[in-house]
Amino acid sequence: MATPPHLASQLAVNVLDAHSLLAAFGVLGVGVVLFAETGLLIGFFLPGDSLLFTAGLLCTGRSDSGVHLSLGPLLVAAAVGALAGAQCGFLLGRKAGGALLARSRSVKLREGAQRAEELLERYGHAKAIVLARFIPVVRTVLNPLAGALEVPARTFTLWQVAGGLVWSLGVTLAGYALGSSIPNIDKYLLPMIALIVVVSLLPLAAEVLRSRRAARETR
């Protein structure tokens, strides 16, 4: 019995490719991927930044890909996935402690955990939780790590919501804005995705420079 075309496309989806995910699952896929990336350690490899940016671009209707998304439902799905995922990761970390990370054999996850712990120690809970949203892998491991380190639930929730909304809605709207203003945006998609990833790291870079400047002034 032949497989229906829409099921065949979903089975053949490339989870590392934002366009493939969106073509197969649409807006629902955005929410699911963000939930997995920010809430489950197994989702650390998923393309959060590029997915949000590409999804925003596809809302403009100016792409030649044949995929068109609605901006309103997309923003809701992105926000819900990002916020619910982070909260889930925190609760898992609170219940399982450091066992989740200790059992992992992934070098990337271990490096991400180290960077997340450094963020928490250097900048405190609020800044670290917000900044982590903009760093791939770190935004995956910081949530369970915060739970394992017993960061107060109210503090974590407040700042993960703030950081999650700025990240998920900001990157999506950036894709939408650029897609609306640049003709034939498909030709520049890969450079644009690289640019948005770099831009997403600017808050962390600015904070590192500010901390180093403050350290020099206190010497």
Side-chain angles (χ1 to χ4, degrees):
M1 183 177 178
T3 303
H6 68 284
L7 289 179
S9 65
Q10 291 179 353
L11 291 173
V13 67
N14 179 1
V15 296
L16 299 179
D17 181 73
H19 193 278
S20 178
L21 283 166
L22 293 167
F25 303 111
V27 167
L28 178 62
V30 174
V32 172
V33 167
L34 293 192
F35 179 88
E37 189 196 16
T38 58
L40 307 174
L41 290 178
I42 58 172
F44 73 92
F45 61 90
L46 293 170
D49 293 310
S50 60
L51 183 69
L52 289 170
F53 182 79
T54 305
L57 166 65
L58 294 177
C59 288
T60 64
R62 302 181 68 175
S63 170
D64 297 328
S65 65
V67 180
H68 179 67
L69 305 176
S70 297
L71 184 61
L74 171 61
L75 293 175
V76 171
V80 170
L83 302 187
Q87 204 67 30
C88 176
F90 176 78
L91 294 174
L92 288 174
R94 178 65 62 89
K95 291 183 178 181
L100 289 172
L101 293 171
R103 293 174 183 172
S104 175
R105 297 180 180 178
S106 170
V107 175
K108 278 192 174 183
L109 274 182
R110 291 182 180 276
E111 290 177 349
Q114 183 178 355
R115 293 180 67 188
E117 195 163 0
E118 289 172 355
L119 279 178
L120 287 167
E121 291 178 355
R122 178 178 296 182
Y123 303 117
H125 297 158
K127 285 185 179 180
I129 292 167
V130 173
L131 290 172
R133 285 289 191 174
F134 298 89
I135 312 173
V137 183
V138 175
R139 63 172 162 259
T140 303
V141 298
L142 183 133
N143 302 318
L145 185 64
L149 295 176
E150 298 187 352
V151 173
R154 182 177 296 181
T155 299
F156 177 83
T157 301
L158 172 64
W159 293 107
Q160 77 92 351
V161 168
L165 290 177
V166 171
W167 173 64
S168 62
L169 302 186
V171 176
T172 302
L173 290 174
Y176 181 79
L178 287 173
S180 300
S181 59
I182 301 177
N184 301 318
I185 188 68
D186 284 354
K187 296 180 180 179
Y188 314 104
L189 185 56
L190 290 178
M192 287 292 183
I193 290 174
L195 176 62
I196 205 66
V197 172
V198 171
V199 170
S200 71
L201 293 174
L202 289 180
L204 177 63
E207 183 61 30
V208 169
L209 290 175
R210 189 196 67 78
S211 296
R212 289 181 178 176
R213 190 179 301 114
R216 286 197 299 267
E217 290 175 355
T218 57
R219 290 177 182 175

